[in-house]
């Protein structure tokens, strides 16, 4: 483009402040409400988890994480969630294999069943996180209440505000939401400047993040040994581990539609989910209790003692957790795939550290999480953000940016770990 053409090209018109100011109050309200609902579901799930995995086995004289108790609890969780999916209005929402972080508003009557199914799942031990169902519930509530009490705002505004608020609440920072929104806007033509479009969602995300921070004080920092100045060996390790994580994640992605189809053939949710729970219980008995639940607390336990397990044990946990994620996401448990993918990537990175002690644990974990999340979520910015925030070391950012390049080449243009309604993979 020559200089004359550049001068003639129209600049992107900015949105006047008077158009953005009315969005601040709705964004703040949605942000606080989304965080409080997330905290309520999480708190209820944690209380129920203590009963199911501590009080009840202690009262029965059974080992808390014995193989028998894991099989019983995961199967029972499948029965309970299956009952909700069968009987609740709207069957607790659509097939979770077809959903991602972005969602469409569900009817209000569906939301209690979805929230209950997610709470039971989080407490019972399947390898899924809270993000997808919590986002769907918050979006449904925000859309329904917003259209009722403030109908002059477009319905899509409430959807974006609720999505951003929930992501901010989940990660305890609005940065993650800003990255997701920016990535979504890049794929569509939105009027106005980028920051104008991000302004209201970022306000909602900030309100959600601050509410979570003030109430729950979340932290993703694993407290790993300090990582100093990166060297060539660190770069090589990051490249190899991130690529290995991407390849391992893509193996699950390619298997996803086949496993989902196998469970779908069982037909009724009172068969599909208990069978899925039984399989998850058997996997838990094989991989140990650290391979249960969403995985974030368990990642902290691994990181607290990087030398506490052998390479074989880390490899077993990596494979078992990946299989558990694949089964849980395929058989109908309501949950998201980001948090268990973090555990898988971290275990893979620590396996590399156990095999080659020269690999710094921070490099191993960050690169493993990066590669796994790129394959599972196909969200580049979120993958980089989560991988970097786990180790809280600015020096590792350059390594991760470089390591993301070959990993991205391995996943781009290929199927995603999400299905269409007809069972075909999303690309």
């Amino acid at each position: 483009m020559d200089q004359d053409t550049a001068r003639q090209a129209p600049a992107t018109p900015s949105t006047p402040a008077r158009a953005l100011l009315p969005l601040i109050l709705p964004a703040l309200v949605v942000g606080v409400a989304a965080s409080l609902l997330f905290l309520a579901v999480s708190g209820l799930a944690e209380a129920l988890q203590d009963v199911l995995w501590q009080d009840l086995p202690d009262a029965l004289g059974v080992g808390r994480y014995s193989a028998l108790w894991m099989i019983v609890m995961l199967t029972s969780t499948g029965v309970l969630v299956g009952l909700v999916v069968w009987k609740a209005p709207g069957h607790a929402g659509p097939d979770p294999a077809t959903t991602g972080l972005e969602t469409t508003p569900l009817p209000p009557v569906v939301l209690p069943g979805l929230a209950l199914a997610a709470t039971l799942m989080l407490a019972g031990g399947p390898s899924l996180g809270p993000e997808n169902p919590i986002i769907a519930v918050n979006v449904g509530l925000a859309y329904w209440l917003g259209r009722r009490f403030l109908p002059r705002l477009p319905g899509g505004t409430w959807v974006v505000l609720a999505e951003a608020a929930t992501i901010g609440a989940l990660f305890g920072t609005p940065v993650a939401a800003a990255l997701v929104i920016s990535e979504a806007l890049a794929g569509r033509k939105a009027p106005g400047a980028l920051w104008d479009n991000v302004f209201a969602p970022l306000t909602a995300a900030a309100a959600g993040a601050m509410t979570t921070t003030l109430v729950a004080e979340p932290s993703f920092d694993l407290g790993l040994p300090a990582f100093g100045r990166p060297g060539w060996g660190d770069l090589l390790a990051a490249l190899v581990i991130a690529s290995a994580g991407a390849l391992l994640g893509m193996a699950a992605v390619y298997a996803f539609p086949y496993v989902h189809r196998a469970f779908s053939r069982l037909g009724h949710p009172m068969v599909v989910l208990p069978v899925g729970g039984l399989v998850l219980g058997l996997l838990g008995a094989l991989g140990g209790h650290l391979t249960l639940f969403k995985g974030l607390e368990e990642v902290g336990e691994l990181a607290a003692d990087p030398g506490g397990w052998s390479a074989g044990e880390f490899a077993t946990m990596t494979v078992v957790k990946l299989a558990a994620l694949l089964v849980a996401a395929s058989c109908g448990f309501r949950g998201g795939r980001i948090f268990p993918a973090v555990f898988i990537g971290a275990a893979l990175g620590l396996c590399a550290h156990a095999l080659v002690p020269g690999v710094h644990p921070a490099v191993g974990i960050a690169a493993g999480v990066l590669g796994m999340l790129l394959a599972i979520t196909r969200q580049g910015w979120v993958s980089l953000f989560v991988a970097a925030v786990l180790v809280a070391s600015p020096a590792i950012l350059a390594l991760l940016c470089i390591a993301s390049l070959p990993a991205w080449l391995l996943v781009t243009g290929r199927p995603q770990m999400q299905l269409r309604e007809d069972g075909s993979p999303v690309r």
Side-chain angles (χ1 to χ4, degrees):
M1 180 184 295
D2 57 36
Q3 292 183 353
D4 291 337
T5 305
R7 281 193 294 267
Q8 294 171 6
T12 302
S14 60
T15 304
R18 64 178 180 274
L20 298 177
L21 286 173
L23 298 174
I24 294 178
L25 183 58
L28 292 174
V29 172
V30 170
V32 173
S35 174
L36 291 177
L37 190 143
F38 160 63
L39 292 171
V41 170
S42 298
L44 182 59
E46 289 173 5
L48 182 58
Q49 179 181 329
D50 290 342
V51 172
L52 297 178
W53 292 93
Q54 296 180 24
D55 299 344
L56 190 55
D58 289 351
L60 296 174
V62 180
R64 291 181 176 181
Y65 292 106
S66 64
L68 174 62
W69 191 249
M70 285 191 276
I71 292 171
V72 169
M73 280 309 309
L74 268 299
T75 305
S76 300
T77 300
V79 172
L80 292 173
V81 175
L83 187 61
V84 174
V85 173
W86 178 28
K87 291 296 187 180
H91 305 291
D95 182 350
T98 65
T99 63
L101 292 180
E102 295 185 36
T103 185
T104 55
L106 297 173
V109 70
V110 178
L111 305 182
L114 178 57
L116 177 58
T119 302
L120 292 171
M121 182 280 299
L122 290 170
S127 294
L128 292 172
E131 59 273 20
N132 289 11
I134 294 297
I135 288 175
V137 171
N138 278 333
V139 165
L141 284 174
Y143 182 84
W144 179 62
L145 293 173
R147 296 291 288 167
R148 184 185 179 107
F149 294 106
L150 206 61
R152 62 185 178 80
L153 282 183
T157 299
W158 297 108
V159 172
V160 174
L161 290 180
E163 288 177 347
T166 310
I167 294 171
L170 283 163
F171 291 98
T173 171
V175 176
L179 294 174
V180 171
I181 296 165
S182 299
E183 197 162 359
L185 289 174
R188 65 183 76 143
K189 289 186 177 181
L194 173 63
W195 202 249
D196 292 331
N197 288 285
V198 171
F199 179 83
L202 189 57
T203 303
M210 284 302 299
T211 303
T212 299
T213 300
L214 292 172
V215 175
E217 299 181 2
S219 175
F220 282 79
D221 184 5
L222 297 179
L224 290 163
F227 177 69
R229 183 179 178 181
W232 291 110
D234 297 316
L235 176 59
L236 177 61
L239 289 167
V240 172
I241 296 170
S243 297
L247 288 173
L248 186 62
M250 286 307 302
V253 170
Y254 276 107
F256 188 44
Y258 299 100
V259 177
H260 180 267
R261 194 175 303 128
F263 277 109
S264 297
R265 289 197 180 105
L266 298 177
H268 201 281
M270 286 301 292
V271 178
V272 177
L273 281 152
V275 170
L278 173 60
V279 175
L280 291 174
L282 294 171
L283 287 170
L286 176 63
H289 74 278
L290 290 179
T291 60
L292 301 178
F293 305 106
K294 65 182 180 183
L296 195 58
E297 291 80 7
E298 290 72 21
V299 166
E301 191 169 338
L302 291 182
D305 186 15
W309 291 267
S310 67
E313 289 171 323
F314 279 125
T316 299
M317 286 189 280
T318 301
V319 174
V320 168
K321 187 70 170 182
L322 185 63
L325 168 59
L326 183 58
V327 170
S330 300
C331 70
F333 283 108
R334 270 51 180 172
R337 300 176 275 274
I338 291 178
F339 289 101
V342 169
F343 179 95
I344 298 164
L348 175 66
L350 290 174
C351 178
H353 167 70
L355 286 171
V356 184
V359 174
H360 195 286
V363 174
I365 288 178
V369 169
L370 172 65
M372 186 59 60
L373 284 178
L374 284 174
I376 297 297
T377 70
R378 215 56 55 85
Q379 296 271 351
W381 285 122
V382 170
S383 301
L384 276 168
F385 167 78
V386 174
V389 79
L390 288 173
V391 300
S393 173
I396 210 167
L397 279 172
L399 293 180
L400 293 178
C401 288
I402 297 172
S404 70
L405 302 178
W408 183 255
L409 291 176
L410 293 171
V411 304
T412 186
R414 292 176 171 80
Q416 300 181 32
M417 200 171 189
Q418 184 176 340
L419 303 178
R420 297 186 176 89
E421 291 186 3
D422 61 2
S424 62
V426 175
R427 287 184 178 268

